[in-house]
């Protein structure tokens, strides 16, 4: 309850279509704004060459980041 007895709330909106259109690099950059990332995402952002297995792991990580960045409940 606010000072004057009024309730307030916040309305959040996630643009799922926009989130799906973001490039993998854009997803990792946004993730790094919230978290340090890991050795693999740091390597990717630095432009270092990735092995086939590293690229597979990175693809999985980015898919998870994309879901989490578009999930309001994940942040709660």
């Amino acid at each position: 309850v606010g000072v004057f007895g009024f309730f307030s709330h916040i309305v959040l909106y996630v643009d799922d279509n926009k989130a799906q259109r973001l490039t993998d690099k854009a997803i990792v950059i946004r993730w790094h704004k919230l978290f340090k990332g890991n050795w693999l995402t740091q390597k990717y952002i630095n432009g270092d060459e990735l092995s086939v297995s590293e690229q597979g792991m990175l693809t999985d990580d980015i898919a998870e980041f994309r879901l989490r960045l578009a999930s309001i409940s994940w942040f709660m």
Side-chain angles (χ1 to χ4, degrees):
V1 178
V3 175
F4 300 105
F6 296 104
F7 291 95
S8 65
H9 65 277
I10 298 173
V11 177
L12 301 174
Y13 170 77
V14 174
D15 187 344
D16 290 327
N17 292 327
K18 183 177 180 181
Q20 293 306 315
R21 289 191 310 262
L22 291 171
T23 65
D24 288 351
K25 189 167 190 171
I27 292 294
V28 174
I29 288 169
R30 282 169 169 75
W31 190 256
H32 283 183
K33 287 181 180 182
L34 298 170
F35 303 101
K36 181 181 176 184
N38 58 35
W39 64 272
L40 188 54
T41 60
Q42 294 293 335
K43 188 173 178 178
Y44 173 68
I45 289 299
N46 289 334
D48 297 338
E49 188 174 338
L50 302 178
S51 69
V52 173
S53 61
E54 288 173 334
Q55 185 60 53
M57 291 186 303
L58 179 65
T59 299
D60 292 343
D61 285 349
I62 291 172
E64 186 66 29
F65 298 160
R66 189 180 301 274
L67 289 173
R68 289 180 178 182
L69 288 170
S71 172
I72 294 169
S73 64
W74 187 81
F75 285 106
M76 300 303 210

